[in-house]
Amino acid sequence: MSKVRILTDRVANQIAAGEVIERPAAVVKELVENSLDAGATRIEVEFRHGGRSLMRIEDNGHGMSRDDALLALERHATSKISEADDLNRLASFGFRGEALPSIASVSRFTLQTREAGDDAGTEILVNGGKFVHVRDCGRPVGTRIEVAQLFNSVPARRKFLKTDQTEAAHIIAGVRLYALAFPQVAFTLIEDGRIIFRSPECIGLVERVAEIFGKQLAEGLVPIEVAEGGMKLSGLIGRPGTGRSTRHEMITFINQRPVDSRALNYALIESYHESLPKGRYPLAFVFFEIDPAAVDVNVHPAKREVRFRSETAVRGFIIRSVLARLRELVESPEARGEKTGNPVVSPPVPPVFPVLSSGFQSAGERRVELNVPRPAFASPVSVEIRNPKPVIRSVQSGWRWLGLAHGNYALFETSSGLVMLDRRAAHERIWFERLQDQFRAGTVPSQRLLLPVPLELDPIASALLLARLGFLNGHGFEIVEFGRNFFRIESVPAWMEPADAEPFVRELLGALRDGRLQDRDVDIAREQLARLAAAKAVRLGESAGESEMQALVTQLFACRVPLTSPGGHPTHIELSHGELTRRFQK
Ligand code: ADP
Ligand code: MG
């Protein structure tokens, strides 16, 4: 018998599924794209358990005849191209004819569809790539696909799935992109029976953004529209000064296709170089249009990365267009959120992460105060450590303070040389251990805000916060949910400035979403919260006196780990006599 054989279609499909269908969100993406390609004006997506138990995508597109439906489940069956050359003129999402057979090979797949003019609809059931039945069914014109028990035929793949919550977040993020790209299509997204968003057809982009990402965010945006030399940029961009700590709200489409384009991202970030503090990302919901022949979307089956034939031209165009718009805004009242003829109801959207008054603010940074009366509470420096360790190591008792350098470095003369102490690092260490002690003892002093801070989140952030409400509320916060994606911060830990409450919560959620924070374990979660909190809690005065510096040293050396900041940087550096002598080449 020959050793070489041709794979059965079922195996070939399962292998292809490994490429195209890496997670539930990929199934949703393929099916939503098919619905859009079919001209749907209404798409409903429902999923359960992060998509692993069920995904249902239903549309009112043109549907399929029984023959077409059967054919669509064959490998490489597509109605969208017939020759490789068609790829250059591609206007639809799909073209490989791989999605349906791949998905059907790794799930319990039910397709119901009816074409206009047909008396009855068709139902086809395929289980793990094995054909089960085809029969008539009643349904309106359009297509409904149900994908249950994803990866039932390839158990090994199930192991690679993350938690339901993570998979759900990917599905939601994905559907959001298509909803943004097609405001003329009505979208409904339902998770575990709960509506995540429902957005009617024919609304404008701003309304779409407001419905999907929240009104607060939408208010920070202004329209942009520029066309030049066969390229067009349109959509919404953030006002100067309105940025985010992550790129999640930097969303780009090329020819209405959601893409992750490095070229576009860099161009946007570069355009905001002077309009945002360092480390902040612009807000952008922008559509870039260009001759399809000048883009290559066929880089990867998942079609996330795209390449431009002429990247420099694209970059130049984007930067010029955005810069011009930003300049225009700075010179007009629009930039400050003032709508002519309309009294300003909400204050201008503040930068999300106000800079702490650390004495290190650069000229471009602005401290933002919300209108919340600030209750008096002790400044960190004068707060006494409740339980100072009784034995203070003798090493630093003989330190003689010489002065402050650059506002931050305290210089001391010691019996063995010179010490330079990083005030900020020292304070962070002290705060970090103090907070850890409070967390462990379950006694985090909390302050009630006179005016609760409203917090509107997008569905993903909202899910992340909901899952952690118990934890945060046990650690000095009091955050309550009062509507879908709406929260209210009613109390914050005593160490926190009320104006920092919202930025802090948003930063925490951003870090969780990026995977910079892992909080499966309560001790780790506490440590991470303490680390974030310590960095925020420190407020250094402009000047510092001798007694304050001596107290700082005493408090620092009462810590369990006085040598490093919570972030692992040294709190102080010592130059010994020997070192000094060597340096002066005596
Ligand atoms: P592709 O989208 O790459 O063509 P798919 O496997 O995703 O491949 O789909 C195969 C074919 O099935 C499509 O070309 C289209 O003709 C048909 N089809 C898939 N989904 C739908 C739908 N929701 N409505 C109408 N036709 C559909
Ligand atoms: Mg397709």
Side-chain angles (χ1 to χ4, degrees):
M1 218 176 94
S2 165
K3 284 186 196 135
V4 178
R5 72 200 118 201
I6 292 188
L7 295 174
T8 62
D9 273 354
R10 183 163 176 254
V11 173
N13 285 333
Q14 288 177 350
I15 293 170
E19 270 212 326
V20 185
I21 312 299
E22 69 223 312
R23 62 185 344 156
V27 171
V28 172
K29 168 185 176 291
E30 291 293 338
L31 299 182
V32 168
E33 288 186 349
N34 280 347
S35 296
L36 290 166
D37 282 345
T41 58
R42 224 171 41 240
I43 300 177
E44 186 166 301
V45 178
E46 180 187 356
F47 65 95
R48 290 185 183 276
H49 303 114
R52 76 181 73 211
S53 67
L54 176 89
M55 288 169 276
R56 172 178 66 83
I57 286 81
E58 198 161 346
D59 68 54
N60 66 347
H62 56 58
M64 287 175 269
S65 67
R66 174 169 295 197
D67 286 350
D68 279 349
L70 285 167
L71 198 59
L73 287 165
E74 299 282 334
R75 224 164 132 59
H76 302 309
T78 177
S79 55
K80 299 168 193 172
I81 61 168
S82 54
E83 293 168 35
D85 199 37
D86 290 346
L87 276 174
N88 289 333
R89 297 185 286 276
L90 196 67
S92 61
F93 284 113
F95 56 83
R96 292 168 178 266
E98 267 179 344
L100 294 190
S102 301
I103 299 166
S105 75
V106 293
S107 68
R108 186 183 162 84
F109 178 95
T110 317
L111 165 76
Q112 290 185 338
T113 187
R114 183 162 80 87
E115 205 173 43
D118 282 359
D119 294 338
T122 301
E123 177 183 290
I124 302 174
L125 172 60
V126 180
N127 194 0
K130 291 197 187 115
F131 181 82
V132 180
H133 70 229
V134 53
R135 62 187 181 205
D136 282 353
C137 72
R139 68 151 288 119
V141 172
T143 304
R144 175 187 194 276
I145 290 177
E146 199 179 283
V147 177
Q149 306 160 17
L150 185 65
F151 298 138
N152 61 358
S153 57
V154 275
R157 303 273 328 250
R158 287 186 83 90
K159 290 200 201 89
F160 288 100
L161 294 179
K162 302 283 192 299
T163 59
D164 285 1
Q165 199 192 347
T166 303
E167 297 301 341
H170 283 276
I171 293 176
I172 296 171
V175 176
R176 250 175 12 176
L177 292 178
Y178 290 94
L180 284 171
F182 295 85
Q184 70 277 22
V185 177
F187 272 89
T188 305
L189 179 61
I190 304 167
E191 177 188 10
D192 295 326
R194 206 172 78 133
I195 292 180
I196 300 285
F197 64 81
R198 183 196 287 283
S199 194
E201 60 194 276
C202 290
I203 58 169
L205 182 61
V206 192
E207 290 80 19
R208 255 290 135 102
V209 171
E211 280 178 34
I212 307 181
F213 288 85
K215 283 198 198 62
Q216 275 177 357
L217 186 141
E219 276 164 16
L221 300 170
V222 289
I224 182 169
E225 187 167 342
V226 189
E228 178 191 301
M231 293 182 272
K232 183 175 170 200
L233 180 72
S234 63
L236 301 165
I237 58 173
R239 293 197 169 92
T242 307
R244 283 286 200 266
S245 65
T246 68
R247 297 171 188 227
H248 292 131
E249 283 92 16
M250 239 173 88
I251 294 178
T252 53
F253 302 87
I254 297 176
N255 297 338
Q256 283 208 314
R257 189 188 287 275
V259 288
D260 196 6
S261 157
R262 281 162 53 116
L264 290 191
N265 285 345
Y266 281 143
L268 284 166
I269 292 171
E270 220 163 297
S271 312
Y272 275 83
H273 185 70
E274 304 210 310
S275 305
L276 286 176
K278 239 177 101 184
R280 313 275 304 152
Y281 295 99
L283 289 166
F285 299 85
V286 291
F287 297 84
F288 179 61
E289 280 160 58
I290 189 169
D291 176 4
V295 208
D296 189 1
V297 289
N298 195 12
V299 180
H300 184 268
K303 289 170 260 165
R304 247 184 267 106
E305 267 287 333
V306 292
R307 286 206 198 113
F308 293 110
R309 300 271 144 85
S310 170
E311 200 169 307
T312 0
V314 170
R315 245 175 112 132
F317 167 66
I318 305 276
I319 295 177
R320 269 196 313 281
S321 311
V322 177
L323 269 182
R325 184 73 177 110
L326 290 174
R327 272 197 211 113
E328 206 177 286
L329 287 167
V330 173
E331 286 152 19
S332 82
E334 216 184 336
R336 297 181 292 277
E338 295 162 15
K339 292 173 200 120
T340 28
N342 248 339
V344 181
V345 183
S346 51
V349 179
V352 182
F353 297 89
V355 181
L356 293 171
S357 52
S358 58
F360 292 98
Q361 283 167 245
S362 72
E365 294 171 334
R366 208 153 43 89
R367 187 176 169 74
V368 176
E369 308 274 349
L370 297 185
N371 279 336
V372 182
R374 182 173 310 154
F377 58 94
S379 82
V381 175
S382 60
V383 168
E384 294 294 309
I385 287 196
R386 297 269 153 68
N387 306 308
K389 300 275 179 315
V391 191
I392 294 178
R393 270 179 275 160
S394 57
V395 269
Q396 73 285 353
S397 57
W399 289 17
R400 196 169 69 80
W401 189 57
L402 299 176
L404 265 190
H406 300 292
N408 188 43
Y409 304 104
L411 293 183
F412 295 89
E413 184 190 61
T414 70
S415 54
S416 53
L418 279 177
V419 165
M420 279 163 281
L421 179 92
D422 182 332
R423 280 170 79 201
R424 170 162 284 276
H427 278 298
E428 280 190 20
R429 164 54 62 188
I430 295 164
W431 267 109
F432 177 69
E433 296 201 359
R434 179 182 303 157
L435 290 165
Q436 276 197 319
D437 291 345
Q438 289 178 354
F439 290 171
R440 265 189 222 113
T443 53
V444 186
S446 166
Q447 50 176 332
R448 222 182 152 69
L449 301 178
L450 293 184
L451 289 178
V453 177
L455 190 65
E456 186 182 11
L457 299 174
D458 67 60
I460 301 179
S462 175
L464 287 172
L465 180 58
L466 268 180
R468 285 153 187 91
L469 270 190
F471 175 78
L472 289 173
N473 289 348
H475 290 81
F477 286 91
E478 197 184 331
I479 304 176
V480 292
E481 189 191 17
F482 74 104
R484 192 165 59 89
N485 303 333
F486 268 100
F487 296 84
R488 205 157 44 202
I489 307 176
E490 303 200 324
S491 305
V492 295
W495 53 262
M496 179 180 277
E497 295 250 18
D500 292 337
E502 181 188 346
F504 184 84
V505 173
R506 285 194 189 271
E507 183 175 316
L508 190 76
L509 296 173
L512 283 164
R513 197 151 143 183
D514 287 348
R516 276 179 285 137
L517 286 190
Q518 295 296 333
D519 62 351
R520 294 274 164 90
D521 172 301
V522 71
D523 284 333
I524 296 175
R526 276 184 179 154
E527 183 173 325
Q528 290 177 333
L529 181 63
R531 192 170 295 139
L532 273 182
K536 287 270 179 251
V538 175
R539 277 175 287 270
L540 302 179
E542 295 286 312
S543 60
E546 159 141 38
S547 58
E548 200 177 317
M549 285 301 106
Q550 294 291 6
L552 178 64
V553 171
T554 309
Q555 291 182 8
L556 177 64
F557 282 90
C559 286
R560 292 180 284 272
V561 188
L563 299 184
T564 59
S565 74
H569 304 292
T571 50
H572 59 283
I573 297 171
E574 184 156 13
L575 273 181
S576 64
H577 281 313
E579 176 74 19
L580 286 169
T581 315
R582 235 186 347 272
R583 288 284 179 106
F584 288 108
Q585 300 174 336
K586 282 186 194 141

